[in-house]
């Protein structure tokens, strides 16, 4: 019986990007269902009644929501390229950093963006980014996952591509190259991975989004 | 797990997150050394072990570097000893369901309690209480689906979600009492109310649940360090 895999999302979402990267890593064929978030489909509301958000993965009719939960599910349900480390301890560490990115890092970066690069907000975002910079330094490899991307790299998708676009749109700087040489290099490496690149929307579109949403009138 | 000091847990008696890990360790009959932290004066060990968050709980396992974040610690314990009282289900989809609700509990449900504590104005409080009722109703539905007519989220046995949510029962009860509020208004949230009574009396959790004095003293501390402001 062939697997039926559908992904509900919209192409410019970093959270959806996490899932498409995971699906691509495993070589999974799927149908992408584009959602208009100002007019959500009945299916989306049925499959994610709790949050009513994208992404939602529907595997043989069963829905899974929340991007990191979906990524772990994909790793669980399909063999092939591993997304989480095999070692139990390393797995716990990967989950820790993925959670850190979601709970601390991204919200701080977002605050810097919505506050148009206000000094204190940028300083707080940079404080969080420093932990990731240190992590890459200690690892001494191309990716958080070592020679290949893993859960942590995927969790940091927003930083790799969306942050730069936001900085350009608003004329602010959070991820400066001199403060964050490792992360800067990592960004380039990450978005060059075929499994990531294949589904990225043009940068101009994201710049335009940030300009429209957060730019000064 | 023979040697007691092979596993050390940094925690604080009143912390539901620390209680969560203790609940899991007890269920799995894993011996551990418990180190009580004074959050008003954090030890060097805690700050060194959790430099990112400087929070409890932290698990120290043998000679490995520390593991932080209670959900992650519980999954880790389940993975190193799946033979001892398995908490997470074996089926991928069921595991995803557990992780989804665990995220909901920690990111949507419990933060409402901290918000309520920090909100002094009546209108704000009422709005939060409405959200708490809504969140509890979501959890009621999740419980009904997950338990399938049995006692726990995990069915006949305590499972992952019972551990993730169970550790909050005493804390949320305390906040409810302070606010003269009973979200488990049993007419509306019948099954979860039954479950809450049941899980609170489970020996593996009861033995680590803080008493009223401990909670009151801890709340006093939080009110100083993170005072109400809304």
């Amino acid at each position: 019986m062939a697997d039926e895999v559908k992904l509900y999302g919209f192409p410019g979402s970093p959270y959806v990007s996490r899932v498409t990267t995971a699906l691509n890593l495993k070589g999974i064929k799927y149908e992408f269902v584009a959602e208009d978030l100002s007019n959500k489909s009945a299916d989306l509301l049925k499959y994610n009644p709790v949050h009513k958000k994208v992404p939602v993965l529907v595997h043989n009719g069963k829905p899974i929501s929340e991007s990191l939960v979906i990524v772990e599910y994909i790793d669980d349900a399909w063999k092939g390229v591993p997304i989480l480390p095999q070692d139990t301890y390393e797995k716990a560490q990967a989950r820790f950093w993925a959670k850190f990115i979601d709970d601390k890092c991204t919200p701080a970066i977002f605050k810097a963006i919505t506050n148009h690069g206000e000094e204190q907000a940028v300083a707080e975002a940079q404080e969080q980014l420093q932990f990731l910079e240190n992590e890459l330094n200690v690892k001494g490899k191309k990716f958080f996952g070592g020679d290949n991307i893993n859960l942590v790299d995927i969790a940091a998708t927003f930083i790799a591509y969306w942050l730069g676009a936001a900085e350009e749109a608003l004329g602010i700087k959070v991820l400066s190259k001199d403060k964050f040489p490792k992360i800067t290099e990592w960004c380039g490496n990450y978005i060059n991975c075929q499994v990531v690149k294949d589904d990225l929307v043009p940068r101009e579109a994201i710049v335009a989004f940030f300009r429209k949403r957060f730019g000064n009138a | 797990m023979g040697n007691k000091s092979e596993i050390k847990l940094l925690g604080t008696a009143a912390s539901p997150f620390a209680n969560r890990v203790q609940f899991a360790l007890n269920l799995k009959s894993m011996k551990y050394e418990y180190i009580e932290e004074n959050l008003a004066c954090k030890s060097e060990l805690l700050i060194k072990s959790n430099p990112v968050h400087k929070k409890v709980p932290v698990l120290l396992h043998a000679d490995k570097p520390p593991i932080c974040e209670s959900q992650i610690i519980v999954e880790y314990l389940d993975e190193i000893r799946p033979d001892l009282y398995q908490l997470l289900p074996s089926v991928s989809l069921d595991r995803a369901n557990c992780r989804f609700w665990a995220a909901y509990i920690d990111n949507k449900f419990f933060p409402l309690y901290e918000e309520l504590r920090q909100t002094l104005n009546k209108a704000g409080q009422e709005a939060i209480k409405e959200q708490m009722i809504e969140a509890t109703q979501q959890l009621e539905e999740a419980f009904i689906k997950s338990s399938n007519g049995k006692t726990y989220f995990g069915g006949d046995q305590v499972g992952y979600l019972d551990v993730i949510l169970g550790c909050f029962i005493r804390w949320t009860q305390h906040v409810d009492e302070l606010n003269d509020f009973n979200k488990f208004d049993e007419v509306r949230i019948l099954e979860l109310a039954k479950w809450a009574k049941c899980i609170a009396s489970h020996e593996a959790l009861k033995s680590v649940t803080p008493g009223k004095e401990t909670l009151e003293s801890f709340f006093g501390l939080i009110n100083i360090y993170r005072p109400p402001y809304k």
Side-chain angles (χ1 to χ4, degrees), chain A residues 89-106:
Chain A
Y89 177 79
E90 293 302 324
K91 205 183 284 195
Q93 290 306 324
R95 285 179 178 141
F96 173 85
W97 287 114
K99 189 169 201 292
F100 167 76
I101 287 164
D102 261 4
D103 289 354
K104 283 272 148 77
C105 210
T106 307

Side-chain angles (χ1 to χ4, degrees), chain B residues 151-212:
Chain B
T151 315
Y152 302 109
F153 279 93
D156 284 318
Q157 280 209 129
V158 169
Y160 184 72
L161 286 178
D162 299 283
V163 173
I164 297 304
L165 186 58
C167 64
F168 288 132
I169 299 305
R170 186 65 193 94
W171 182 283
T172 58
Q173 218 171 49
H174 187 78
V175 175
D176 286 351
E177 281 163 20
L178 290 175
N179 288 277
D180 197 22
F181 173 59
N182 179 16
K183 70 179 170 301
F184 283 142
D185 178 338
E186 300 197 20
V187 173
R188 286 189 281 193
I189 307 172
L190 188 62
E191 296 304 315
L192 206 63
K194 266 196 275 180
W195 168 85
K197 283 201 180 84
C198 202
I199 203 75
S201 64
H202 194 292
E203 199 50 49
L205 178 59
K206 201 162 87 169
S207 58
V208 298
T209 299
K212 191 166 180 176

